[in-house]
Amino acid sequence: MKLSLTKAQMLERRRIADGLEPLRTDCAIEFTDGIDIDRMLEHDLRARYVDMLANADPRYLAVECIEPVGLAEMKPDGVRLSLPPTCRRVFDIELDTWYRPVAVQPLSMYNAIVSWQYNEYRAATPLNPVAVLSPDGDILAWPEGKLVALHGISDPGEDTYVLDESGLPLLLNN
């Protein structure tokens, strides 16, 4: 189930998971010295969340449809999709001329995949489409067509955590 938690809600869950919430609620103890535990936990939560967006299994994340900010044709017979700045990761793409969606290949495959498009025996076809992340952060896809679906994850900003409920232990456990 998809969760959307505020920074305060995540901090409360993290404090409980770390055993930092007091058991007694009928009294209060205040210190004026020491470290700011909440600030330290907020930084740790944010770092874990950003790492989770970049590296975690998609089943722990709230995968959504991403709307590209630009779509342009390119040679030979492909399309270039510009991603919004909040997009952290793209998983798959489908164009209307394709028979199936495909996973977006990593930047390490960029040179090989682009060079294949100039070879009539290796070039992508509707039965065997291909998409790759480019060095400038765009998605290049062959053969050309209109966008049907682009699935990925976005960073909602520092004040919100959006993830699947099964991903909570990745943020809360040490």
Side-chain angles (χ1 to χ4, degrees):
M1 181 172 88
K2 181 179 173 180
L3 288 178
S4 181
L5 302 169
T6 65
K7 184 191 287 189
Q9 290 170 323
M10 261 323 277
L11 183 60
E12 179 184 352
R13 288 178 183 232
R14 178 63 192 270
R15 288 181 67 82
I16 290 169
D18 286 350
L20 297 174
E21 287 297 311
L23 293 176
R24 295 187 60 184
T25 57
D26 61 335
C27 64
I29 301 171
E30 293 186 27
F31 287 95
T32 58
D33 62 341
I35 60 172
D36 185 355
I37 295 291
D38 286 348
R39 188 95 156 141
M40 189 173 76
L41 292 176
E42 285 173 3
H43 286 293
D44 184 54
L45 277 171
R46 179 67 183 162
R48 285 181 182 212
Y49 184 62
V50 169
D51 181 61
M52 187 176 164
L53 292 179
N55 302 308
D57 189 316
R59 68 186 165 139
Y60 298 127
L61 305 168
V63 178
E64 60 190 8
C65 286
I66 304 290
E67 283 296 321
V69 293
L71 179 68
E73 291 183 16
M74 59 178 196
K75 296 295 178 194
D77 302 324
V79 294
R80 173 182 293 270
L81 294 97
S82 298
L83 301 173
T86 58
C87 183
R88 294 297 249 181
R89 209 159 119 200
V90 176
F91 296 112
D92 62 54
I93 183 174
E94 183 178 8
L95 300 182
D96 65 346
T97 57
W98 299 359
Y99 287 94
R100 63 182 175 88
V102 295
V104 176
Q105 299 300 313
L107 181 60
S108 61
M109 292 294 296
Y110 174 77
N111 288 334
I113 290 174
V114 170
S115 69
W116 295 344
Q117 304 318 306
Y118 293 96
N119 180 329
E120 66 181 287
Y121 299 105
R122 294 288 309 259
T125 66
L127 287 173
N128 190 24
V130 67
V132 66
L133 185 64
S134 72
D136 57 6
D138 291 347
I139 303 292
L140 308 182
W142 295 271
E144 66 187 334
K146 293 182 181 162
L147 183 65
V148 172
L150 179 64
H151 296 107
I153 50 171
S154 297
D155 185 352
E158 289 189 26
D159 295 328
T160 307
Y161 294 82
V162 180
L163 64 153
D164 189 271
E165 192 173 10
S166 64
L168 272 176
L170 296 177
L171 292 176
L172 301 178
N173 297 339
N174 287 329

